[in-house]
Amino acid sequence: MRILPEAMRNLFRKRFTRKYPKEKPVIPEGFRGKIRHYKDKCIYCGLCAKFCPSGAITVDVKNKTWHVDYGRCVFCGQCEEVCRDMVKKNAIKLGKDYELAGTKKNAFMFGDRKR
Amino acid sequence: MMQALYFFFSILVFPGLLFIINISLLYTGIMRKLTARMQNRIGPPVWQPFLDVIKLFSKENINTENARPGFTFWPIVVLASTFVLALMIPVSGMAPLATSVDAIIIIYFFAFTSFSLFMAGLSSTNPFAVTGSIRGLVQIFAYEFPFVVAMLVPLFFVGTLSPAIVNAYQLQSGSWLFFNFPIAGVVFFICLLAKAEIPPFHVPDAHQEIVGGYHVEYTGTRYAFMEIARSVKIFVLISLGIALFFGGASNIFLFIAESLIMLFILTVISVVAARVRINQVLKLYWFLGFIVLIELIVRLLI
Amino acid sequence: MESRNDANRETKQEAADRKKRTYALPIGPQHPALLESENLEVFLDGEVIKDVIVNVGYLHRGIERALQNRNYIQCIYLAERVCGICSGVHTISYCQAVENLLDLEIPNRAKYIRTIIAELERIHSHLLWAGVLAHELGFDMLFQIVWRDRELVMEILEELTGNRVNYSMVTIGGVRRDISKAAIPRVFKVIGSLEERIRNHMKVFLNDKILLSRTSGTGTLKRSEAEELSLVGPLARASGVHYDIRRDHPYAAYGMIGWDTATERGGDVQSRVIVRMKELLQSVRIIRNCLMKLSTTGDKIRLEKNCLAVPENEAMSRAEAPRGELIYYARSNGSDRPERVKIRTPTYSNLLGLRPMLKGQFLSDLPMIVASLDPCFSCTDRVALIDTSTWERKSLTENEFRRHIENRRREK
């Protein structure tokens, strides 16, 4: 019975759940979302691919192509860290976009790969 | 001729099957919405049970290999007996199939409805369904006695066997029989909780333990019948409570208002209580049966 | 390897008796009472449980083998995904093991931040567990509002680390992100409102009549049984076994701040509820202490150390996951990949406690008792072979397993 006051109060309180997609949540800074690759800063060293835990990034050093497979990416941010700390180029940044659902398999490849 | 037409109208439309099915599904929807609001979330829209039943009618009937012939037969029986019951309980004083010896038939049909629901569970021969049905039958064994005795108290007081006459008596005297017989009223209310499988007595439908209980193998039209029967049962119990204990109702609007208040109280109880174990249910109800029997005997002698 | 635990070994006579009198109800692999797929064969006599056999193996993913294919940095993220709820502690323990291999001592600020993340995760895990227990008891209201308060923790973790689960905050040599000066007052505010809500929930869990009638006296585990079966974590602490890795073998910042462990003596489900509720309040206290110390420690959060050539060594590290003692053993061979990583998760030990806990209880209490053990089956799986004629269990090495599968395939 101790929960009765809470139950009664909740009838008049604003509901806690959200009617997504009409009401979207506020994403804080530093959220690890979709990857942005800056082609002008990238030197195609291939370190991001070497340190990616799931093998999502593929870099062709000779032909200078870079692409990421979102089917494999776990959004850990190791590529961003390696690019920022080891080679100091800041060519990869993880943004705030989280709505990454798709219907076709080739929608998950981002970068220089021919679709 | 007009008599016969009116009779069929009152059975099929108002206060007959169409009215009762729609309003009981609406009440179930209101209960779900209220529960969600109390839990600080949005919840389904109020007409969700209608959508559920319509969706269920469009699904195919899956026949399991080991099911007994009763698998098809019992859900129809459940629905039919619930409908007969619904037509006998006075809704704002009008009951299409009312006779002067209603109480016996009502008691029988109440027991038969619950019993056939669990027989439906048993006939699907799934170990989870069997466990749930056995628990349900044990629960019937627990609450049937206090329920019947609590029902008999106001009937014996007014000296009749028809709830419609008790309804009229309450309207005439202007007082609620609940205040004359508080123990019987409270016991009736608690037995209502067990009969309708509302928390804390939702033992047969313990989906965390036995994956659904008696209805685990059912889908499609048969399951739709069982869902409708469940909703109608709650409405019927509320109407019976109003007719016997809670003041009766002279017109339909007062009836709806009173039944909504009772529904609200039922929802609050269902939200704040955890599930009780089956042996605790037995202990509690036999104790309740004992005290309501005492009250019946005392009132009869005085 | 034979099991040496007498409480768990069944004699042939017992097995024959059991088969005669009871019927078996399979709980799992898919069941609403279990969060992940496992199989409990429950032998029932009416409504009373006579025996239970736990069959694990439905969630085996080969993580220990996969860890040998990746370099040390990549392994951090794989170790993190062993479990969703204890992911922070897995990373901390793995990084500690590698830091022991490299003989690294991480800066103090990193230790405090690691502790804060670990304790926030413990709050999140215990709130999840409390909601699940209420749900198993049919008390959906409590389930919904406890999980609503858990959202507060997830949001602050999202702000600090960038994600709600799988925080990826910890790395070899320290932590990856700092808690900025602007973020500290926000964390204090969230902790304050969390503490008030936790106290409200505690009042309900400890005083609600129906809850008490179902949790007191059920699923009892005696202290001798807990010690004999080597149970760990809040499960053992609720039976009176005073064992907490954070106090007995301190890691991160636990040795540098003041806090208490929570122990009870009852051994039933109610004691486990009390232990976990008390641990929630202690976690709030630890986080507050760490946050206060953060403003006075230095700025360095990370030691840059080359992990591409780790010298030959072997090391072990232990941590207190929300469910108990978590052990990581790592062996290096001079390359940039670990040669062997062995993970001993707490649920793997705690599953042994299911048999004495469930014997003689009602079937309706089974989900509640299994939930009170707080099983995290995704941490658990290893492969074992059972010989049904002699009831002997043994585990296989990888080569034996491969040969076994090859033989079966050739037979077909």
Side-chain angles (χ1 to χ4, degrees):
Chain A
M1 286 310 268
R2 273 182 189 260
I3 207 132
L4 187 61
E6 165 97 35
M8 290 288 111
R9 245 193 326 219
N10 281 341
L11 280 176
F12 305 105
R13 232 190 249 171
K14 185 173 180 314
R15 52 188 168 66
F16 192 75
T17 47
R18 220 179 261 130
K19 278 194 185 175
Y20 187 86
K22 281 189 235 165
E23 308 169 20
K24 297 211 179 167
V26 174
I27 305 290
E29 286 299 324
F31 183 74
R32 297 197 301 264
K34 188 166 160 184
I35 302 180
R36 284 217 59 191
H37 176 238
Y38 298 98
K39 273 199 252 201
D40 45 340
K41 297 190 192 167
C42 183
I43 59 172
Y44 297 98
C45 61
L47 275 179
C48 51
K50 178 168 179 175
F51 281 98
C52 177
S54 53
I57 300 183
T58 317
V59 178
D60 193 342
V61 179
K62 229 173 8 156
N63 302 335
K64 296 210 185 295
T65 59
W66 182 102
H67 66 86
V68 64
D69 180 1
Y70 278 117
R72 289 183 168 228
C73 177
V74 292
F75 301 97
C76 62
Q78 185 64 32
C79 46
E80 177 182 1
E81 187 181 315
V82 158
C83 199
R84 187 188 62 214
D85 295 337
M86 271 197 190
V87 284
K88 310 227 188 305
K89 287 292 170 193
N90 287 332
I92 297 184
K93 284 237 165 56
L94 265 69
K96 292 211 275 188
D97 194 3
Y98 57 91
E99 287 163 332
L100 300 174
T103 48
K104 290 212 194 45
K105 205 152 180 195
N106 59 6
F108 288 108
M109 300 293 225
F110 269 71
D112 295 329
R113 179 158 157 151
K114 308 260 182 307
R115 306 256 178 104
Chain B
M1 182 59 200
M2 281 310 290
Q3 276 268 343
L5 218 57
Y6 178 69
F7 183 63
F8 279 114
F9 178 79
S10 70
I11 286 190
L12 288 176
V13 181
F14 182 84
L17 294 182
L18 213 59
F19 172 72
I20 289 184
I21 295 179
N22 287 328
I23 203 169
S24 45
L25 285 177
L26 190 67
Y27 275 19
T28 307
I30 294 178
M31 205 162 154
R32 280 166 74 169
K33 184 77 166 175
L34 262 181
T35 313
R37 284 285 165 171
M38 283 196 233
Q39 291 169 353
N40 207 205
R41 53 190 177 94
I42 302 181
V46 180
W47 55 86
Q48 182 67 28
F50 291 101
L51 301 172
D52 285 343
V53 166
I54 293 175
K55 177 205 81 167
L56 281 172
F57 275 123
S58 70
K59 288 205 179 266
E60 65 168 297
N61 270 326
I62 299 180
N63 293 312
T64 53
E65 214 176 87
N66 289 331
R68 302 259 175 273
F71 195 65
T72 323
F73 161 74
W74 281 112
I76 305 177
V77 169
V78 171
L79 191 65
S81 59
T82 318
F83 279 166
V84 169
L85 200 57
L87 291 173
M88 283 193 171
I89 308 285
V91 172
S92 73
M94 301 184 276
L97 288 184
T99 63
S100 59
V101 286
D102 264 346
I104 304 175
I105 309 180
I106 287 177
I107 292 173
Y108 170 72
F109 263 104
F110 261 127
F112 188 65
T113 311
S114 306
F115 169 76
S116 50
L117 199 64
F118 298 121
M119 284 306 293
L122 281 177
S123 69
S124 54
T125 70
N126 181 328
F128 291 125
V130 165
T131 314
S133 301
I134 291 179
R135 278 199 205 161
L137 290 171
V138 168
Q139 192 164 303
I140 295 182
F141 180 62
Y143 69 68
E144 207 48 46
F145 176 64
F147 185 64
V148 168
V149 176
M151 250 177 73
L152 287 179
V153 167
L155 289 172
F156 278 10
F157 176 72
V158 178
T160 169
L161 271 181
S162 162
I165 298 188
V166 178
N167 192 7
Y169 173 84
Q170 288 195 81
L171 287 172
Q172 227 179 15
S173 67
S175 73
W176 285 17
L177 280 176
F178 180 74
F179 299 119
N180 293 18
F181 307 104
I183 299 181
V186 167
V187 169
F188 180 83
F189 197 74
I190 299 181
C191 294
L192 192 160
L193 290 175
K195 202 161 190 55
E197 287 163 37
I198 291 179
F201 304 112
H202 56 302
V203 178
D205 183 23
H207 77 265
Q208 295 87 358
E209 304 161 20
I210 42 179
V211 200
Y214 60 88
H215 63 76
V216 77
E217 290 278 349
Y218 282 98
T219 181
T221 322
R222 298 184 203 129
Y223 190 45
F225 285 167
M226 285 163 71
E227 281 293 301
I228 298 179
R230 251 188 66 202
S231 303
V232 172
K233 192 159 67 167
I234 297 182
F235 178 74
V236 159
L237 284 166
I238 294 180
S239 323
L240 189 65
I242 291 182
L244 286 182
F245 285 101
F246 298 110
S250 46
N251 61 8
I252 191 69
F253 298 108
L254 273 178
F255 175 81
I256 289 187
E258 270 192 56
S259 56
L260 278 175
I261 296 177
M262 266 189 80
L263 190 70
F264 180 73
I265 299 178
L266 280 178
T267 314
V268 168
I269 295 180
S270 83
V271 159
V272 302
R275 184 177 300 124
V276 186
R277 210 177 10 208
I278 187 72
N279 59 332
Q280 295 167 336
V281 167
L282 271 174
K283 268 191 254 182
L284 173 70
Y285 276 102
W286 279 93
F287 170 70
L288 288 178
F290 182 64
I291 57 174
V292 80
L293 188 65
I294 302 269
E295 186 180 30
L296 178 67
I297 294 179
V298 160
R299 296 294 176 173
L300 275 186
L301 291 179
I302 294 183
Chain C
M1 262 184 284
E2 279 188 340
S3 153
R4 291 179 203 281
N5 297 314
D6 290 334
N8 245 351
R9 190 196 297 180
E10 199 184 36
T11 61
K12 276 201 184 163
Q13 186 55 38
E14 277 180 10
D17 277 343
R18 174 171 48 87
K19 286 196 180 90
K20 245 191 287 180
R21 280 176 320 178
T22 59
Y23 76 94
L25 191 72
I27 307 282
Q30 310 291 340
H31 193 273
L34 306 168
L35 293 172
E36 286 126 345
S37 343
E38 288 301 342
N39 184 294
L40 301 174
E41 268 181 66
V42 173
F43 295 92
L44 296 170
D45 184 8
E47 182 95 9
V48 176
I49 298 177
K50 287 293 178 202
D51 205 353
V52 65
I53 296 184
V54 184
N55 296 323
V56 298
Y58 291 90
L59 273 170
H60 190 264
R61 291 162 289 165
I63 289 188
E64 287 182 2
R65 178 67 180 91
L67 284 170
Q68 295 175 355
N69 281 343
R70 290 167 167 73
N71 63 34
Y72 286 98
I73 302 282
Q74 288 171 324
C75 283
I76 304 176
Y77 304 103
L78 188 53
E80 189 177 46
R81 279 152 180 83
V82 170
C83 178
I85 331 177
C86 358
S87 70
V89 162
H90 274 274
T91 354
I92 291 177
S93 194
Y94 169 76
C95 290
Q96 274 176 196
V98 179
E99 282 152 15
N100 287 344
L101 281 177
L102 292 168
D103 261 326
L104 270 186
E105 175 82 17
I106 60 174
N108 276 348
R109 196 179 176 91
K111 286 188 186 168
Y112 286 124
I113 297 182
R114 278 188 184 180
T115 314
I116 292 175
I117 297 294
E119 289 306 308
L120 275 174
E121 184 184 63
R122 191 180 313 269
I123 295 180
H124 157 220
S125 172
H126 282 332
L127 281 179
L128 186 147
W129 169 85
V132 167
L133 187 74
H135 181 63
E136 307 287 9
L137 285 170
F139 203 167
D140 276 337
M141 168 85 188
L142 198 53
F143 164 62
Q144 299 280 357
I145 57 175
V146 167
W147 277 40
R148 178 198 64 190
D149 296 334
R150 181 179 152 249
E151 288 291 314
L152 288 175
V153 183
M154 312 272 271
E155 280 171 9
I156 194 68
L157 276 168
E158 189 183 35
E159 197 178 313
L160 289 178
T161 68
N163 201 355
R164 285 153 60 102
V165 284
N166 295 339
Y167 320 121
S168 301
M169 184 80 155
V170 179
T171 188
I172 300 173
V175 292
R176 288 166 83 197
R177 291 190 197 198
D178 199 0
I179 298 184
S180 65
K181 269 200 168 23
I184 293 184
R186 272 204 296 272
V187 184
F188 264 117
K189 192 159 153 270
V190 167
I191 296 293
S193 75
L194 252 184
E195 182 175 7
E196 186 194 320
R197 293 182 190 211
I198 290 174
R199 283 190 198 275
N200 284 340
H201 295 320
M202 243 178 109
K203 276 197 217 135
V204 176
F205 267 105
L206 300 183
N207 291 319
D208 187 88
K209 292 251 168 40
I210 304 184
L211 272 183
L212 275 180
S213 77
R214 289 210 59 189
T215 57
S216 313
T218 48
T220 332
L221 200 58
K222 293 199 280 271
R223 182 181 169 162
S224 56
E225 281 170 344
E227 284 177 340
E228 197 182 276
L229 294 171
S230 317
L231 303 181
V232 291
L235 181 64
R237 286 200 280 280
S239 297
V241 179
H242 292 272
Y243 191 58
D244 189 336
I245 298 287
R246 298 175 288 171
R247 180 196 57 200
D248 299 328
H249 305 268
Y251 61 99
Y254 290 108
M256 308 198 283
I257 51 179
W259 59 283
D260 290 318
T261 47
T263 322
E264 283 289 312
R265 266 193 260 157
D268 55 359
V269 177
Q270 183 66 14
S271 309
R272 290 170 211 146
V273 173
I274 298 178
V275 163
R276 288 193 174 99
M277 290 281 150
K278 281 192 193 167
E279 281 193 0
L280 273 173
L281 292 174
Q282 286 302 319
S283 294
V284 170
R285 184 176 160 194
I286 295 175
I287 297 178
R288 276 216 186 100
N289 289 346
C290 284
L291 283 172
M292 289 196 292
K293 289 262 173 95
L294 261 188
S295 48
T296 55
T297 46
D299 262 340
K300 209 166 162 58
I301 55 168
R302 198 176 165 170
L303 282 181
E304 299 293 340
K305 179 78 182 192
N306 186 7
C307 306
L308 294 179
V310 177
E312 262 188 59
N313 207 349
E314 63 176 11
M316 200 172 95
S317 91
R318 293 200 261 185
E320 177 84 10
R323 282 155 189 79
E325 173 189 14
L326 173 67
I327 304 179
Y328 262 76
Y329 163 81
R331 195 164 69 210
S332 57
N333 56 6
S335 68
D336 64 344
R337 299 180 172 192
E339 182 171 329
R340 172 80 167 109
V341 177
K342 161 91 178 136
I343 312 174
R344 203 299 307 266
T345 53
T347 308
Y348 191 50
S349 307
N350 285 344
L351 276 182
L352 295 172
L354 266 182
R355 204 157 172 258
M357 270 202 289
L358 281 176
K359 267 191 176 164
Q361 303 293 328
F362 287 108
L363 177 65
S364 10
D365 291 333
L366 180 124
M368 172 181 76
I369 297 176
V370 172
S372 78
L373 182 155
D374 203 1
C376 180
F377 289 118
S378 58
C379 292
T380 299
D381 276 334
R382 307 288 177 273
V383 176
L385 279 193
I386 310 173
D387 187 355
T388 47
S389 59
T390 61
W391 291 97
E392 245 185 62
R393 294 176 89 99
K394 57 180 177 159
S395 7
L396 297 173
T397 65
E398 187 192 342
N399 288 330
E400 285 175 351
F401 191 47
R402 277 225 184 98
R403 249 183 277 136
H404 179 81
I405 302 248
E406 280 303 315
N407 291 341
R408 292 286 290 274
R409 209 179 295 153
R410 256 184 250 128
E411 273 168 26
K412 285 193 189 155

